Amino acid sequence: MHVIGYHAAGASSSHVALVQGKDDALEEDQLVLHTESLEHSRTESMQSEDPVSDEEAVVPVDVPYAKCRWDFFLSHKQSNAQDAVQNLRLALSERFLGASFWLDIEQDPTVKGMCHGVSNSRNVLIFLTEGISDSKFCQMEMRWALEANRNLILVMETDDRHGKPNMEELIHRCPDDLKAIFTQNEIIPWFRDPEFRFVSVDKILKSCADDPRRNASNRKAAKPLVYGKGGDSEEGAEVFDRSFVIFTAMCGVALPGAGPKTKCWAVAVRIILLTCGMMCCSRLLTPEGPAFLDYLTIIQIVAAHPMIFLLLHVMLVLLRSDLIADLLENHIDCPSEGKKLRFKTKLLTGLVALLTTTLSLWGWVGYLPGFFHPYYLTSGNGLVVYGIAHGLTWILILPIFFGSFFAALMIMFTLQELCNMALLTAYNELNSELEHEGLEAVVKRGDGINVTDHDLYRFEVKYAKSWELYKKIQSHTAMPLFVFWFIELGLVIWSVWSMAQGAQSDVNDWRVPHLKSYWNLVVRLSWFVGGSPWFGAGCWITALLPWGSIYYAWRMNNLSKRLIFKNPTTRHAFRSFLAEFALEFRVSFLQATPKGLLLFVPILVVNTLGFVFDALRLFNSI
């Protein structure tokens, strides 16, 4: 695959200069010599065997959109359209960043090569000049395009000096089976004047094949997310392991592909979470009884509800977006990494299921004895309803609460893994060994690989596009993290005050009599120390998850350094190109870099110690 025209932040400056330095037209004498050479090579390849039998021997294939190798197959008559097609390609690539083109001067010009090019191109662009309908090569390409159901785009030369065709004569001289191409498709005029060329390019891009992903909302909702060309089925491997799908379904999280029952349960869970949040707010108005410890713990729970709502909502919306569809369908083909992802997902699903169960049981012990205490159940007023309603709600809500929280974090982790797989997939363009064995296996083997300049071009464009998607996904996941860190920053003042009070007992604290009277409140306090979403384990997991990108950056850099090139010059260009791309999580002020830890970890430490000191004062007082 020959990819040209990438011109975006992060691209190698040397290659951008190459693209920018191309003239609008080739020098005429070079063009004539090159065209004659090409025609001679094509004629020789055709004369080596009977053209008719060779044409019948190859069969075009209707390759799915996502698996097509090129964006455009450029069909034209070399004798009068070669320079125009080169300029057309350059103009398209400037608007369609990273576009890939099949062009005979760069690909296999044999019959089999041309048929393969048509079958594996999303669009077949036919550049109409005088005599094109007489060309046997162009006739074959048109027939293959029809048989393979390729999207046809007709572009017509408008300059008489460069082969502007007489359309009536062109259609008249065209074989009967191909005439419908010219009558049933719009013909876009090609203007050499830059001011009018923009209009031509715009119309060409609007005529490109519709990306089925953009009209696939129903499909995405009805099927699980898949990636790659192989794996569990012909369509690819499912992103989420079955164990995680079951876990999320139980917690009321409807992943893409979830059934109607799971979707209904997910809606019910949202209602339950909303109800629970309002009920927790009502506890601020009832500071008496064994269910009340202090306002701080209640505020923590109340604030955690919208935080989990936001985190989960952002993750699910992102999963169903065209951004993820593009990542999965066009940028990931990395079977070895897919197996590792499955293993990690199973392991982490078991871990989060254990955490959810442990924290739920721990929370039940700390809360249910208080809600089902005789203080509420034997009272002659509305406290009976208060105690029973809160108790039953907490029985139901705690597994859902923690399950939804950990599910959202697992989705964020999986997205990081998928972005890493997309970047690794780009290495497939360097060499066929990398495509079949994987980067890590080739590096461990220690053999050198052959990488040409064209291979490096393809890698750079593929890598840059995957990196762009990676950064876009980071920006989408950043919003709930921003909210989290703003709250953490706001808590620092209280935490510093709490640490200043020391850990000695404080018998004058109004909470001490409550703790002495109701043992379950002591359990609840310890539960908050361990599982608080703002001070405990939940806080640290949420905060440090973006720093997991440091591992991917380190691993990618390490493997790239150890990859041996037989051509040292190509290796230097490869390393220089990679140096321009930062793989850490970096969005606005949230810079998840090793240096960033020096700023953000102290905030977590101060807040954790602030709450621990507060708890120690209470524990020492009882």
Side-chain angles (χ1 to χ4, degrees):
M1 178 174 65
H2 183 70
V3 185
I4 71 153
Y6 183 80
H7 187 183
S12 175
S13 58
S14 61
H15 296 304
V16 172
L18 257 177
V19 175
Q20 292 176 329
K22 289 189 176 181
D23 295 325
D24 287 343
L26 297 174
E27 291 295 329
E28 187 173 352
D29 55 343
Q30 293 178 334
L31 172 63
V32 171
L33 288 173
H34 188 77
T35 300
E36 289 177 351
S37 174
L38 177 62
E39 289 283 10
H40 180 68
S41 65
R42 291 183 67 174
T43 303
E44 283 187 341
S45 68
M46 291 291 291
Q47 289 178 345
S48 63
E49 46 189 306
D50 180 15
V52 177
S53 62
D54 194 16
E55 181 182 357
E56 293 174 350
V58 296
V59 179
V61 181
D62 186 358
V63 178
Y65 183 98
K67 296 184 179 180
C68 285
R69 195 171 180 182
W70 295 280
D71 293 303
F72 296 95
F73 181 96
L74 301 178
S75 177
H76 62 290
K77 189 175 181 182
Q78 290 86 355
S79 60
N80 59 11
Q82 193 70 51
D83 66 327
V85 167
Q86 289 280 16
N87 290 327
L88 171 61
R89 183 177 74 164
L90 182 59
L92 284 173
S93 63
E94 289 175 351
R95 291 280 306 281
F96 188 162
L97 297 182
S100 50
F101 299 84
W102 194 103
L103 188 58
D104 46 18
I105 63 174
E106 299 155 351
Q107 305 292 341
D108 179 8
T110 64
V111 171
K112 291 183 179 179
M114 290 186 291
C115 184
H116 176 75
V118 170
S119 298
N120 286 273
S121 296
R122 298 178 177 90
N123 305 278
V124 173
L125 191 153
I126 304 172
F127 194 82
L128 305 179
T129 53
E130 185 179 1
I132 188 172
S133 59
D134 295 326
S135 170
K136 291 183 179 180
F137 301 106
C138 295
Q139 290 177 13
M140 285 190 295
E141 291 164 355
M142 293 178 200
R143 290 191 178 97
W144 291 329
L146 292 175
E147 293 177 34
N149 295 315
R150 300 297 89 182
N151 180 57
L152 292 171
I153 303 176
L154 273 56
V155 180
M156 183 183 72
E157 175 63 70
T158 59
D159 194 329
D160 292 327
R161 299 170 299 173
H162 294 86
K164 176 183 177 181
N166 182 317
M167 289 306 300
E168 291 185 4
E169 181 180 350
L170 186 150
I171 296 174
H172 176 72
R173 297 176 64 87
C174 181
D176 291 340
D177 62 320
L178 298 177
K179 288 183 178 179
I181 289 178
F182 303 98
T183 59
Q184 296 179 1
N185 292 280
E186 178 187 7
I187 299 177
I188 301 171
W190 173 249
F191 299 101
R192 293 172 179 268
D193 188 321
E195 294 183 6
F196 295 100
R197 184 185 301 173
F198 179 85
V199 178
S200 299
V201 172
D202 189 57
K203 291 179 71 68
I204 291 171
L205 294 179
K206 288 181 179 179
S207 300
C208 286
D210 289 334
D211 186 341
R213 295 164 300 167
R214 298 191 180 281
N215 299 315
S217 57
N218 293 333
R219 175 182 61 80
K220 288 187 290 183
K223 293 183 179 181
L225 296 177
V226 297
Y227 64 87
K229 300 176 183 178
D232 298 344
S233 66
E234 294 182 357
E235 295 183 355
E238 291 189 12
V239 170
F240 298 109
D241 185 75
R242 186 64 183 169
S243 58
F244 182 67
V245 174
I246 294 173
F247 173 78
T248 54
M250 293 174 63
C251 298
V253 178
L255 298 173
K261 292 182 179 179
T262 301
K263 291 179 181 179
C264 291
W265 172 233
V267 173
V269 164
R270 292 181 183 181
I271 297 174
I272 293 171
L273 284 172
L274 180 62
T275 303
C276 179
M278 292 188 295
M279 292 179 68
C280 288
C281 289
S282 70
R283 292 173 53 213
L284 294 170
L285 305 176
T286 54
E288 307 87 8
F292 183 85
L293 175 59
D294 60 9
Y295 293 105
L296 177 60
T297 55
I298 295 177
I299 291 174
Q300 287 187 63
I301 292 294
V302 171
H305 279 79
M307 184 66 209
I308 293 176
F309 248 106
L310 176 62
L311 182 63
L312 190 58
H313 174 74
V314 169
M315 293 300 108
L316 291 178
V317 169
L318 185 57
L319 283 182
R320 298 185 178 98
S321 68
D322 289 337
L323 196 65
I324 297 302
D326 186 16
L327 178 74
L328 298 177
E329 296 183 22
N330 292 331
H331 296 272
I332 296 181
D333 183 14
C334 201
S336 59
E337 295 298 317
K339 293 179 181 179
K340 293 179 182 179
L341 176 59
R342 280 302 182 88
F343 174 76
K344 293 176 184 177
T345 304
K346 287 182 179 180
L347 185 65
L348 289 176
T349 300
L351 178 61
V352 299
L354 178 62
L355 281 173
T356 299
T357 302
T358 301
L359 291 173
S360 297
L361 291 173
W362 196 355
W364 285 337
V365 175
Y367 273 93
L368 297 185
F371 288 128
F372 293 133
H373 193 276
Y375 176 87
Y376 299 107
L377 301 183
T378 60
S379 64
N381 50 34
L383 290 178
V384 175
V385 177
Y386 175 90
I388 294 177
H390 279 77
L392 294 177
T393 301
W394 273 86
I395 292 175
L396 181 62
I397 198 63
L398 277 185
I400 295 174
F401 182 88
F402 287 111
S404 299
F405 173 62
F406 288 125
L409 296 180
M410 278 279 290
I411 293 172
M412 186 181 295
F413 164 80
T414 302
L415 291 177
Q416 282 189 342
E417 287 280 325
L418 292 174
C419 290
N420 179 59
M421 289 169 63
L423 293 171
L424 287 173
T425 298
Y427 284 77
N428 295 349
E429 303 295 333
L430 289 174
N431 187 278
S432 58
E433 295 178 26
L434 293 169
E435 183 176 2
H436 295 118
E437 301 178 38
L439 176 61
E440 190 167 8
V442 172
V443 168
K444 286 183 178 179
R445 198 174 65 236
D447 296 335
I449 59 173
N450 283 314
V451 179
T452 67
D453 288 339
H454 288 308
D455 295 331
L456 189 59
Y457 273 129
R458 295 197 299 270
F459 163 77
E460 289 182 352
V461 172
K462 185 80 172 178
Y463 189 91
K465 291 177 72 175
S466 296
W467 183 81
E468 283 185 345
L469 282 175
Y470 179 35
K471 302 308 290 185
K472 288 179 181 177
I473 290 171
Q474 284 186 353
S475 65
H476 280 73
T477 59
M479 183 173 63
L481 296 175
F482 288 163
V483 174
F484 171 84
W485 278 107
F486 277 126
I487 294 175
E488 285 294 312
L489 285 171
L491 291 171
V492 168
I493 297 175
W494 177 87
S495 298
V496 171
W497 172 86
S498 177
M499 292 170 62
Q501 306 306 306
Q504 294 78 19
S505 62
D506 183 5
V507 294
N508 295 322
D509 194 311
W510 62 273
R511 295 171 292 179
V512 172
H514 275 258
L515 289 169
K516 289 182 177 180
S517 301
Y518 307 109
W519 63 269
N520 63 287
L521 294 182
V522 178
V523 176
R524 186 186 305 179
L525 184 60
S526 66
W527 178 71
F528 269 98
V529 172
S532 168
W534 309 110
F535 300 104
C539 161
W540 282 83
I541 294 173
T542 305
L544 296 182
L545 187 58
W547 271 265
S549 61
I550 295 177
Y551 165 75
Y552 302 115
W554 169 83
R555 180 176 180 236
M556 193 80 68
N557 184 55
N558 184 51
L559 291 174
S560 299
K561 283 183 178 178
R562 294 166 57 193
L563 186 62
I564 301 174
F565 285 59
K566 292 184 178 180
N567 185 343
T569 304
T570 307
R571 185 180 188 277
H572 176 72
F574 166 75
R575 292 293 303 160
S576 299
F577 173 80
L578 289 180
E580 300 178 21
F581 295 86
L583 300 184
E584 295 87 358
F585 190 103
R586 299 185 183 189
V587 182
S588 187
F589 72 87
L590 187 54
Q591 301 288 305
T593 62
K595 291 183 178 179
L597 285 173
L598 301 177
L599 172 64
F600 288 96
V601 168
I603 297 174
L604 298 176
V605 171
V606 169
N607 283 340
T608 300
L609 290 178
F611 193 77
V612 169
F613 271 60
D614 184 66
L616 286 175
R617 288 195 296 272
L618 293 175
F619 286 137
N620 290 332
S621 300
I622 60 175

